[in-house]
Amino acid sequence: MLIATPEYANGTSGVLKNALEWLVGGGQLYDKPVAVVSASPSALGGDRAQAWVRETLTMMGARLVPDGLLIPQATARIQDGRLVDGATVKELDELLARLYEAGGPRHEAGRPAA
Ligand SMILES: Cc1cc2nc3c(=O)[nH]c(=O)nc-3n(C[C@H](O)[C@H](O)[C@H](O)COP(=O)(O)O)c2cc1C
């Protein structure tokens, strides 16, 4: 799973916080590979929102991809709703590759026999 968060008042959005809280009891994210990306118009790229989300996912036992992606000055990298900054696209590709790897042996084991 890939979680992308904006930053509001030094935290994540209330909607995402609420969604994660609903999943705490059910354990749906336990041992699930999860990567986190945050984006913000500021120079910090939503680092505090991302830290909050990561802490919550750790508490939930998710298999968190170690390094997330911070996207600072996000508005300058987006045109007509599309991410147009090549360096950021590359970083996102790399994060997705690490997320796929985090699936690891269990991911392979879950595949049906050919
Ligand atoms: C109430 C409010 C609080 C915000 N707080 C932060 C913040 O703490 N840090 C930050 O980097 N950006 C902050 N922002 C900017 C948002 O990250 C920015 O608006 C972002 O693009 C969210 O998308 P939206 O404006 O389409 O909702 C805030 C924006 C609003 C409206």
Side-chain angles (χ1 to χ4, degrees):
M1 186 163 97
L2 176 68
I3 294 181
T5 177
E7 183 167 281
Y8 294 115
N10 287 0
T12 190
S13 79
V15 174
L16 179 58
K17 183 176 190 294
N18 186 247
L20 291 175
E21 284 167 359
W22 271 99
L23 295 176
V24 167
Q28 289 89 344
L29 290 186
Y30 182 77
D31 206 29
K32 285 265 167 61
V34 185
V36 184
V37 54
S38 57
S40 144
S42 85
L44 299 175
D47 61 332
R48 292 155 298 195
Q50 179 160 164
W52 188 94
V53 170
R54 299 182 75 83
E55 190 175 326
T56 303
L57 290 167
T58 299
M59 176 268 171
M60 295 167 81
R63 206 186 308 175
L64 200 50
V65 174
D67 297 311
L69 177 61
L70 300 167
I71 304 179
Q73 283 106 23
T75 41
R77 300 170 200 271
I78 294 168
Q79 277 172 19
D80 299 326
R82 295 183 66 87
L83 182 60
V84 293
D85 178 59
T88 309
V89 171
K90 185 167 178 287
E91 287 178 318
L92 203 48
D93 275 348
E94 288 165 0
L95 180 68
L96 290 174
R98 294 202 300 279
L99 174 58
Y100 184 79
E101 282 164 19
R106 177 164 305 200
H107 182 85
E108 293 298 323
R111 283 189 178 167

